[in-house]
Amino acid sequence: MSTDRATAGRQLQPNLVLTTKREARGWTSRRRAARELHRIWQANLPGCPDIESLEKALYRHETGRVQVRDDAYRKLYCLAYDATPQELFGSVETDTGSASRLVVTSHKFIPVFVGVERAAHLRERPDFMPGVEHWLDCRVAPVDVINGKCDLHVWPFGVAIFHLVEELALPNVAALSVWRVQSYKDNMAWATRRIRDLGASESTEAAYVLSSYWVNEAPWEGDTLDTALRILAIPKVLLERDIEPAHSLHRAELVERSLLAEGFEHPDMIPFGIKGISMGYASWSGVVYYPIAEQRSLAEDDLVHCELAVQSLWAYSDHLNRMIERGSDPVVPDEYGWRFVRGARSRITNARPRETEQHRSMRNAILATCDLESNLAQAIETLRDSAGG
């Protein structure tokens, strides 16, 4: 096959989804695929080209020398691979050749319930210092980590949270989505090993990972930027359930291109930015924030401290509710019983006198999307009813 002159000097973007779909059908050669496509075209579409022309078109479409703009070929591939145009082609009108990058600071919050006694031991260690401007009483110590930096935050009511910070420079949201899913499993295993090394019992395990993204640079503008941030708040929307993340990047890129062109909405996502100052979105999956006017927007620590407080109480109430689900009455020290939970709920849900509108909007959006208030209400009710509460 000769290289098209029109592609000279242009970086090709192969459509690996088409290639993967073809190979999954057992059509390991394009010649074999062309014969099968010829049969499907004859049965379903008018004006069928010869097999040699189909083989040449397939080569050009798969290698990215030509995008699949012809309606007949788009229908053919959808029929042959039992797929939608979005799955196979994304949006062919969207230009992905921007040289800009998506540069974000990733904040991962990895909670572990260690219990009141172990938390007290950790907090007494000389490397733990009082947390600055934390919403709830907390002590903090640095933790060695291979990539990025990490602090361990410990609250007296038995919750520890690893706060892992990583700087990322990626070509698109799809790459972040794949990295996120792949890294979560490693993060959970690492946090579990690390907390056990610090004296927690062998049954202690990391509960989950919650991510927040502070966007430093974005390769989009206008409505496309808004859509990209929405996707970034729920990046897993780009991935399919049954495909390994390591093999899903190209498919995710196609979905991203399509969503950027068509827009993306989610009923449970809540915005909390201020026009001309910032753009922010909160969802069950995480939080994203882009400061447009840095001197007037929220500071990065504002977001971090809010998430630490919210996740510490979420992990505590989740631990209590899990005990209930196992058929046990939760028994906790009096100082961390229902009155404590009630006071913590008031502290985290009610506005402070000097709180700005931006702080209030951020806090309300995060609380509404993580369902913390209902968790705390359940915990208060249970602790009041139990002998240990």
Side-chain angles (χ1 to χ4, degrees), residues 9 28 37 79 174 249 262 343 364 377:
T28 54
L37 293 173
L79 287 168
L249 176 59
E262 299 171 4
N364 288 344

Side-chain angles (χ1 to χ4, degrees), residues 102-262:
L102 172 63
V103 180
V104 305
T105 302
S106 165
H107 294 273
K108 289 176 179 172
F109 304 92
I110 314 172
V112 187
F113 187 82
V114 297
V116 172
E117 183 177 347
R118 174 49 49 190
H121 288 317
L122 286 172
R123 288 164 59 87
E124 291 170 359
R125 290 168 56 112
D127 51 338
F128 276 82
M129 304 297 292
V132 178
E133 295 185 5
H134 281 54
W135 293 17
L136 302 167
D137 175 31
C138 179
R139 295 185 72 84
V140 187
V143 178
D144 291 334
V145 64
I146 295 175
N147 295 316
K149 63 178 183 178
C150 185
D151 290 326
L152 178 60
H153 302 250
V154 181
W155 287 263
F157 47 89
V159 171
I161 293 182
F162 290 95
H163 173 215
L164 177 60
V165 184
E166 297 163 287
E167 302 295 338
L168 305 174
L170 301 166
N172 48 39
V173 181
L176 183 143
S177 180
V178 172
W179 168 83
R180 173 181 178 267
V181 171
Q182 290 177 316
S183 66
Y184 271 20
K185 184 177 180 180
D186 292 338
N187 295 152
M188 293 274 286
W190 171 83
T192 296
R193 290 194 305 270
R194 194 71 184 87
I195 202 67
R196 291 177 182 177
D197 290 343
L198 291 170
S201 69
E202 288 301 306
S203 62
T204 302
E205 294 185 347
Y208 57 87
V209 183
L210 187 284
S211 287
S212 294
Y213 300 113
W214 186 270
V215 179
N216 300 297
E217 297 179 25
W220 310 282
E221 296 179 348
D223 291 341
T224 305
L225 171 61
D226 184 70
T227 299
L229 294 179
R230 290 172 179 268
I231 299 171
L232 192 55
I234 313 179
K236 201 170 182 179
V237 72
L238 301 179
L239 304 178
E240 297 187 20
R241 289 192 306 273
D242 302 326
I243 299 179
E244 287 293 321
H247 303 141
S248 63
L249 176 59
H250 296 285
R251 187 185 300 270
E253 288 176 332
L254 287 174
V255 177
E256 178 183 348
R257 289 165 56 193
S258 179
L259 292 179
L260 289 177
E262 299 171 4

